[in-house]
Amino acid sequence: MRELISMFLTFARVGAFTFGGGYAMLPVLQREVVEKKGWCTEDELTDMYAIGQCTPGVIAVNVATYIGNRKRGPIGALFTTLGIIFPSLVIITMIASFLTHFAEYPAVQHAFSGIRVVVCALVTKTIYTMSRKNVRDIATLLILICSFAAVALFHISPIVAVVVCGVIGFLLHGGKKEAK
């Protein structure tokens, strides 16, 4: 039971102290579950991000559920999922009850403008960190550029992009063992 409570509290901390949704949570998740807890490796977490992006729901919830299930089965998945969503439920309920009265105030609008900029910075940091770790050669750089263009410029579904890039990656590197 102690481990389940630790899992809940770890993911509640991630959920409480990150703003902006899944991608903004990724650096915090990486620090908590890879560096501090050792529940998975950085490569495994990157794989979970990819899987979480391709499945319905919020990426941070998907990753939390996956890690919980991996560590302790369905009960672990329940505790980590509840941990990641609990702070949001509490915070959103509180904000919703007060925000309708204050949303039009310039100070509140300016605060949200600042928060949106910070979220952009967090997402940019995640992109930078993941790119440094995963772009290993010219082929993976081309996959990155082409997949970004496909999704951002040509509005290709991220699911299609992930599947196509997964097949390309397998075809390019599938039979080779990588040096760590």
Side-chain angles (χ1 to χ4, degrees), residues 67-101:
I67 291 171
N69 189 65
R70 188 166 167 225
K71 286 287 296 165
R72 292 293 304 269
I75 191 74
L78 178 66
F79 272 74
T80 55
T81 302
L82 290 175
I84 199 87
I85 65 173
F86 180 74
S88 295
L89 291 174
V90 172
I91 293 167
I92 290 299
T93 301
M94 290 172 34
I95 289 173
S97 61
F98 295 107
L99 189 60
T100 55
H101 303 291

mmCIF file of all heavy atoms in Angstrom, residues 67-101:
data_model
loop_
_atom_site.group_PDB
_atom_site.id
_atom_site.type_symbol
_atom_site.label_atom_id
_atom_site.label_comp_id
_atom_site.label_asym_id
_atom_site.label_seq_id
_atom_site.Cartn_x
_atom_site.Cartn_y
_atom_site.Cartn_z
ATOM 1 N N ILE A 67 2.497 3.772 -16.769
ATOM 2 C CA ILE A 67 3.531 3.538 -15.748
ATOM 3 C C ILE A 67 2.952 2.803 -14.546
ATOM 4 O O ILE A 67 3.548 1.863 -14.029
ATOM 5 C CB ILE A 67 4.197 4.858 -15.326
ATOM 6 C CG1 ILE A 67 5.037 5.402 -16.484
ATOM 7 C CG2 ILE A 67 5.067 4.671 -14.084
ATOM 8 C CD1 ILE A 67 5.571 6.799 -16.262
ATOM 9 N N GLY A 68 1.766 3.226 -14.099
ATOM 10 C CA GLY A 68 1.127 2.553 -12.963
ATOM 11 C C GLY A 68 0.838 1.096 -13.246
ATOM 12 O O GLY A 68 1.081 0.226 -12.395
ATOM 13 N N ASN A 69 0.341 0.821 -14.447
ATOM 14 C CA ASN A 69 0.047 -0.559 -14.827
ATOM 15 C C ASN A 69 1.323 -1.384 -14.903
ATOM 16 O O ASN A 69 1.359 -2.535 -14.460
ATOM 17 C CB ASN A 69 -0.688 -0.608 -16.165
ATOM 18 C CG ASN A 69 -1.188 -1.992 -16.483
ATOM 19 O OD1 ASN A 69 -2.051 -2.518 -15.792
ATOM 20 N ND2 ASN A 69 -0.642 -2.586 -17.523
ATOM 21 N N ARG A 70 2.351 -0.795 -15.417
ATOM 22 C CA ARG A 70 3.634 -1.491 -15.532
ATOM 23 C C ARG A 70 4.224 -1.819 -14.163
ATOM 24 O O ARG A 70 4.801 -2.879 -13.952
ATOM 25 C CB ARG A 70 4.589 -0.613 -16.333
ATOM 26 C CG ARG A 70 5.864 -1.292 -16.664
ATOM 27 C CD ARG A 70 6.597 -0.509 -17.726
ATOM 28 N NE ARG A 70 7.932 -1.035 -17.763
ATOM 29 C CZ ARG A 70 9.014 -0.303 -17.811
ATOM 30 N NH1 ARG A 70 8.916 0.985 -17.883
ATOM 31 N NH2 ARG A 70 10.185 -0.868 -17.834
ATOM 32 N N LYS A 71 4.092 -0.866 -13.226
ATOM 33 C CA LYS A 71 4.664 -1.056 -11.890
ATOM 34 C C LYS A 71 3.844 -2.006 -11.029
ATOM 35 O O LYS A 71 4.390 -2.856 -10.336
ATOM 36 C CB LYS A 71 4.781 0.283 -11.160
ATOM 37 C CG LYS A 71 5.869 1.198 -11.631
ATOM 38 C CD LYS A 71 7.251 0.737 -11.223
ATOM 39 C CE LYS A 71 7.404 0.746 -9.722
ATOM 40 N NZ LYS A 71 8.553 0.002 -9.272
ATOM 41 N N ARG A 72 2.528 -1.836 -11.020
ATOM 42 C CA ARG A 72 1.694 -2.580 -10.067
ATOM 43 C C ARG A 72 0.407 -3.138 -10.666
ATOM 44 O O ARG A 72 -0.521 -3.444 -9.939
ATOM 45 C CB ARG A 72 1.318 -1.679 -8.886
ATOM 46 C CG ARG A 72 2.469 -1.285 -7.978
ATOM 47 C CD ARG A 72 3.051 -2.469 -7.199
ATOM 48 N NE ARG A 72 2.083 -3.163 -6.410
ATOM 49 C CZ ARG A 72 1.775 -2.914 -5.139
ATOM 50 N NH1 ARG A 72 2.415 -1.965 -4.504
ATOM 51 N NH2 ARG A 72 0.861 -3.599 -4.514
ATOM 52 N N GLY A 73 0.311 -3.204 -11.989
ATOM 53 C CA GLY A 73 -0.878 -3.756 -12.609
ATOM 54 C C GLY A 73 -2.038 -2.771 -12.579
ATOM 55 O O GLY A 73 -1.850 -1.563 -12.391
ATOM 56 N N PRO A 74 -3.266 -3.287 -12.731
ATOM 57 C CA PRO A 74 -4.430 -2.402 -12.802
ATOM 58 C C PRO A 74 -4.595 -1.494 -11.576
ATOM 59 O O PRO A 74 -5.009 -0.337 -11.709
ATOM 60 C CB PRO A 74 -5.610 -3.363 -12.929
ATOM 61 C CG PRO A 74 -5.024 -4.592 -13.559
ATOM 62 C CD PRO A 74 -3.617 -4.682 -13.015
ATOM 63 N N ILE A 75 -4.266 -1.974 -10.393
ATOM 64 C CA ILE A 75 -4.410 -1.139 -9.196
ATOM 65 C C ILE A 75 -3.391 0.006 -9.230
ATOM 66 O O ILE A 75 -3.684 1.137 -8.837
ATOM 67 C CB ILE A 75 -4.303 -1.958 -7.885
ATOM 68 C CG1 ILE A 75 -4.727 -1.116 -6.685
ATOM 69 C CG2 ILE A 75 -2.907 -2.505 -7.670
ATOM 70 C CD1 ILE A 75 -6.199 -0.891 -6.583
ATOM 71 N N GLY A 76 -2.196 -0.266 -9.732
ATOM 72 C CA GLY A 76 -1.200 0.786 -9.901
ATOM 73 C C GLY A 76 -1.652 1.812 -10.926
ATOM 74 O O GLY A 76 -1.475 3.026 -10.743
ATOM 75 N N ALA A 77 -2.259 1.330 -12.014
ATOM 76 C CA ALA A 77 -2.785 2.229 -13.040
ATOM 77 C C ALA A 77 -3.867 3.137 -12.459
ATOM 78 O O ALA A 77 -3.920 4.337 -12.750
ATOM 79 C CB ALA A 77 -3.340 1.427 -14.215
ATOM 80 N N LEU A 78 -4.711 2.577 -11.608
ATOM 81 C CA LEU A 78 -5.762 3.373 -10.970
ATOM 82 C C LEU A 78 -5.166 4.471 -10.088
ATOM 83 O O LEU A 78 -5.565 5.633 -10.159
ATOM 84 C CB LEU A 78 -6.680 2.458 -10.146
ATOM 85 C CG LEU A 78 -7.794 3.151 -9.382
ATOM 86 C CD1 LEU A 78 -8.791 3.782 -10.350
ATOM 87 C CD2 LEU A 78 -8.496 2.167 -8.459
ATOM 88 N N PHE A 79 -4.181 4.115 -9.276
ATOM 89 C CA PHE A 79 -3.580 5.096 -8.361
ATOM 90 C C PHE A 79 -2.838 6.202 -9.107
ATOM 91 O O PHE A 79 -2.943 7.374 -8.751
ATOM 92 C CB PHE A 79 -2.647 4.402 -7.359
ATOM 93 C CG PHE A 79 -3.354 3.924 -6.131
ATOM 94 C CD1 PHE A 79 -4.176 2.807 -6.164
ATOM 95 C CD2 PHE A 79 -3.202 4.586 -4.923
ATOM 96 C CE1 PHE A 79 -4.836 2.360 -5.032
ATOM 97 C CE2 PHE A 79 -3.857 4.148 -3.782
ATOM 98 C CZ PHE A 79 -4.683 3.035 -3.831
ATOM 99 N N THR A 80 -2.075 5.849 -10.144
ATOM 100 C CA THR A 80 -1.341 6.879 -10.875
ATOM 101 C C THR A 80 -2.287 7.764 -11.681
ATOM 102 O O THR A 80 -2.085 8.980 -11.758
ATOM 103 C CB THR A 80 -0.272 6.265 -11.803
ATOM 104 O OG1 THR A 80 -0.887 5.311 -12.669
ATOM 105 C CG2 THR A 80 0.842 5.617 -11.003
ATOM 106 N N THR A 81 -3.320 7.166 -12.239
ATOM 107 C CA THR A 81 -4.292 7.954 -13.003
ATOM 108 C C THR A 81 -5.032 8.917 -12.091
ATOM 109 O O THR A 81 -5.192 10.105 -12.414
ATOM 110 C CB THR A 81 -5.285 7.028 -13.734
ATOM 111 O OG1 THR A 81 -4.538 6.160 -14.597
ATOM 112 C CG2 THR A 81 -6.290 7.820 -14.548
ATOM 113 N N LEU A 82 -5.484 8.425 -10.950
ATOM 114 C CA LEU A 82 -6.152 9.320 -9.996
ATOM 115 C C LEU A 82 -5.194 10.401 -9.506
ATOM 116 O O LEU A 82 -5.591 11.557 -9.340
ATOM 117 C CB LEU A 82 -6.710 8.523 -8.817
ATOM 118 C CG LEU A 82 -7.905 7.631 -9.122
ATOM 119 C CD1 LEU A 82 -8.276 6.791 -7.893
ATOM 120 C CD2 LEU A 82 -9.087 8.446 -9.599
ATOM 121 N N GLY A 83 -3.934 10.039 -9.300
ATOM 122 C CA GLY A 83 -2.947 11.012 -8.856
ATOM 123 C C GLY A 83 -2.752 12.141 -9.844
ATOM 124 O O GLY A 83 -2.713 13.313 -9.465
ATOM 125 N N ILE A 84 -2.662 11.818 -11.130
ATOM 126 C CA ILE A 84 -2.398 12.842 -12.134
ATOM 127 C C ILE A 84 -3.607 13.753 -12.363
ATOM 128 O O ILE A 84 -3.457 14.933 -12.649
ATOM 129 C CB ILE A 84 -1.885 12.231 -13.458
ATOM 130 C CG1 ILE A 84 -1.173 13.274 -14.326
ATOM 131 C CG2 ILE A 84 -2.994 11.615 -14.276
ATOM 132 C CD1 ILE A 84 0.268 13.435 -14.040
ATOM 133 N N ILE A 85 -4.827 13.210 -12.201
ATOM 134 C CA ILE A 85 -6.011 14.037 -12.484
ATOM 135 C C ILE A 85 -6.578 14.737 -11.248
ATOM 136 O O ILE A 85 -7.268 15.747 -11.374
ATOM 137 C CB ILE A 85 -7.133 13.231 -13.187
ATOM 138 C CG1 ILE A 85 -7.683 12.134 -12.290
ATOM 139 C CG2 ILE A 85 -6.657 12.695 -14.511
ATOM 140 C CD1 ILE A 85 -8.898 11.425 -12.848
ATOM 141 N N PHE A 86 -6.286 14.222 -10.063
ATOM 142 C CA PHE A 86 -6.868 14.794 -8.844
ATOM 143 C C PHE A 86 -6.596 16.285 -8.676
ATOM 144 O O PHE A 86 -7.532 17.069 -8.433
ATOM 145 C CB PHE A 86 -6.394 14.003 -7.614
ATOM 146 C CG PHE A 86 -6.944 14.525 -6.325
ATOM 147 C CD1 PHE A 86 -8.274 14.309 -5.979
ATOM 148 C CD2 PHE A 86 -6.154 15.259 -5.461
ATOM 149 C CE1 PHE A 86 -8.792 14.799 -4.791
ATOM 150 C CE2 PHE A 86 -6.655 15.756 -4.272
ATOM 151 C CZ PHE A 86 -7.980 15.532 -3.940
ATOM 152 N N PRO A 87 -5.335 16.744 -8.812
ATOM 153 C CA PRO A 87 -5.098 18.188 -8.640
ATOM 154 C C PRO A 87 -5.868 19.036 -9.653
ATOM 155 O O PRO A 87 -6.407 20.092 -9.302
ATOM 156 C CB PRO A 87 -3.590 18.335 -8.853
ATOM 157 C CG PRO A 87 -3.035 16.993 -8.574
ATOM 158 C CD PRO A 87 -4.087 16.013 -9.003
ATOM 159 N N SER A 88 -5.946 18.563 -10.889
ATOM 160 C CA SER A 88 -6.683 19.316 -11.906
ATOM 161 C C SER A 88 -8.153 19.432 -11.563
ATOM 162 O O SER A 88 -8.757 20.498 -11.735
ATOM 163 C CB SER A 88 -6.533 18.652 -13.280
ATOM 164 O OG SER A 88 -5.196 18.711 -13.695
ATOM 165 N N LEU A 89 -8.727 18.344 -11.094
ATOM 166 C CA LEU A 89 -10.140 18.380 -10.724
ATOM 167 C C LEU A 89 -10.391 19.405 -9.617
ATOM 168 O O LEU A 89 -11.336 20.192 -9.681
ATOM 169 C CB LEU A 89 -10.622 17.002 -10.276
ATOM 170 C CG LEU A 89 -10.721 15.939 -11.348
ATOM 171 C CD1 LEU A 89 -11.068 14.581 -10.735
ATOM 172 C CD2 LEU A 89 -11.753 16.323 -12.385
ATOM 173 N N VAL A 90 -9.530 19.393 -8.614
ATOM 174 C CA VAL A 90 -9.687 20.332 -7.499
ATOM 175 C C VAL A 90 -9.474 21.769 -7.971
ATOM 176 O O VAL A 90 -10.290 22.662 -7.702
ATOM 177 C CB VAL A 90 -8.716 19.982 -6.347
ATOM 178 C CG1 VAL A 90 -8.718 21.056 -5.282
ATOM 179 C CG2 VAL A 90 -9.071 18.625 -5.751
ATOM 180 N N ILE A 91 -8.385 21.996 -8.699
ATOM 181 C CA ILE A 91 -8.052 23.350 -9.147
ATOM 182 C C ILE A 91 -9.103 23.888 -10.107
ATOM 183 O O ILE A 91 -9.553 25.037 -9.975
ATOM 184 C CB ILE A 91 -6.638 23.380 -9.770
ATOM 185 C CG1 ILE A 91 -5.590 23.116 -8.682
ATOM 186 C CG2 ILE A 91 -6.374 24.706 -10.472
ATOM 187 C CD1 ILE A 91 -4.197 22.823 -9.218
ATOM 188 N N ILE A 92 -9.519 23.086 -11.076
ATOM 189 C CA ILE A 92 -10.513 23.537 -12.052
ATOM 190 C C ILE A 92 -11.847 23.824 -11.383
ATOM 191 O O ILE A 92 -12.526 24.794 -11.723
ATOM 192 C CB ILE A 92 -10.678 22.502 -13.189
ATOM 193 C CG1 ILE A 92 -9.432 22.481 -14.052
ATOM 194 C CG2 ILE A 92 -11.904 22.767 -14.028
ATOM 195 C CD1 ILE A 92 -9.108 23.799 -14.743
ATOM 196 N N THR A 93 -12.227 23.010 -10.436
ATOM 197 C CA THR A 93 -13.475 23.256 -9.712
ATOM 198 C C THR A 93 -13.419 24.590 -8.977
ATOM 199 O O THR A 93 -14.373 25.383 -9.016
ATOM 200 C CB THR A 93 -13.768 22.111 -8.722
ATOM 201 O OG1 THR A 93 -13.853 20.885 -9.461
ATOM 202 C CG2 THR A 93 -15.070 22.343 -7.980
ATOM 203 N N MET A 94 -12.283 24.855 -8.333
ATOM 204 C CA MET A 94 -12.125 26.131 -7.622
ATOM 205 C C MET A 94 -12.108 27.311 -8.603
ATOM 206 O O MET A 94 -12.776 28.320 -8.379
ATOM 207 C CB MET A 94 -10.853 26.111 -6.781
ATOM 208 C CG MET A 94 -10.949 25.178 -5.586
ATOM 209 S SD MET A 94 -9.405 24.918 -4.658
ATOM 210 C CE MET A 94 -8.557 26.449 -4.750
ATOM 211 N N ILE A 95 -11.355 27.171 -9.668
ATOM 212 C CA ILE A 95 -11.274 28.263 -10.645
ATOM 213 C C ILE A 95 -12.632 28.521 -11.286
ATOM 214 O O ILE A 95 -13.037 29.676 -11.436
ATOM 215 C CB ILE A 95 -10.201 27.945 -11.717
ATOM 216 C CG1 ILE A 95 -8.815 28.045 -11.102
ATOM 217 C CG2 ILE A 95 -10.328 28.877 -12.910
ATOM 218 C CD1 ILE A 95 -7.693 27.593 -12.028
ATOM 219 N N ALA A 96 -13.323 27.461 -11.659
ATOM 220 C CA ALA A 96 -14.616 27.622 -12.323
ATOM 221 C C ALA A 96 -15.612 28.360 -11.438
ATOM 222 O O ALA A 96 -16.420 29.151 -11.927
ATOM 223 C CB ALA A 96 -15.171 26.261 -12.730
ATOM 224 N N SER A 97 -15.522 28.133 -10.140
ATOM 225 C CA SER A 97 -16.476 28.797 -9.255
ATOM 226 C C SER A 97 -16.166 30.277 -9.075
ATOM 227 O O SER A 97 -17.053 31.059 -8.780
ATOM 228 C CB SER A 97 -16.535 28.082 -7.904
ATOM 229 O OG SER A 97 -15.284 28.117 -7.281
ATOM 230 N N PHE A 98 -14.903 30.671 -9.294
ATOM 231 C CA PHE A 98 -14.520 32.071 -9.109
ATOM 232 C C PHE A 98 -14.261 32.814 -10.416
ATOM 233 O O PHE A 98 -14.477 34.026 -10.480
ATOM 234 C CB PHE A 98 -13.258 32.169 -8.236
ATOM 235 C CG PHE A 98 -13.472 31.694 -6.844
ATOM 236 C CD1 PHE A 98 -12.942 30.488 -6.418
ATOM 237 C CD2 PHE A 98 -14.223 32.431 -5.936
ATOM 238 C CE1 PHE A 98 -13.141 30.029 -5.130
ATOM 239 C CE2 PHE A 98 -14.429 31.987 -4.644
ATOM 240 C CZ PHE A 98 -13.889 30.782 -4.237
ATOM 241 N N LEU A 99 -13.796 32.120 -11.430
ATOM 242 C CA LEU A 99 -13.349 32.782 -12.649
ATOM 243 C C LEU A 99 -14.452 33.523 -13.374
ATOM 244 O O LEU A 99 -14.204 34.583 -13.958
ATOM 245 C CB LEU A 99 -12.687 31.770 -13.595
ATOM 246 C CG LEU A 99 -11.994 32.364 -14.806
ATOM 247 C CD1 LEU A 99 -10.884 33.322 -14.379
ATOM 248 C CD2 LEU A 99 -11.433 31.273 -15.690
ATOM 249 N N THR A 100 -15.644 32.988 -13.335
ATOM 250 C CA THR A 100 -16.731 33.657 -14.052
ATOM 251 C C THR A 100 -16.933 35.086 -13.554
ATOM 252 O O THR A 100 -17.372 35.945 -14.307
ATOM 253 C CB THR A 100 -18.047 32.870 -13.914
ATOM 254 O OG1 THR A 100 -18.327 32.671 -12.530
ATOM 255 C CG2 THR A 100 -17.961 31.539 -14.622
ATOM 256 N N HIS A 101 -16.551 35.350 -12.316
ATOM 257 C CA HIS A 101 -16.709 36.694 -11.762
ATOM 258 C C HIS A 101 -15.523 37.601 -12.076
ATOM 259 O O HIS A 101 -15.642 38.822 -12.004
ATOM 260 C CB HIS A 101 -16.893 36.619 -10.245
ATOM 261 C CG HIS A 101 -18.058 35.778 -9.828
ATOM 262 N ND1 HIS A 101 -19.366 36.144 -10.059
ATOM 263 C CD2 HIS A 101 -18.107 34.564 -9.217
ATOM 264 C CE1 HIS A 101 -20.168 35.193 -9.604
ATOM 265 N NE2 HIS A 101 -19.432 34.232 -9.084
#
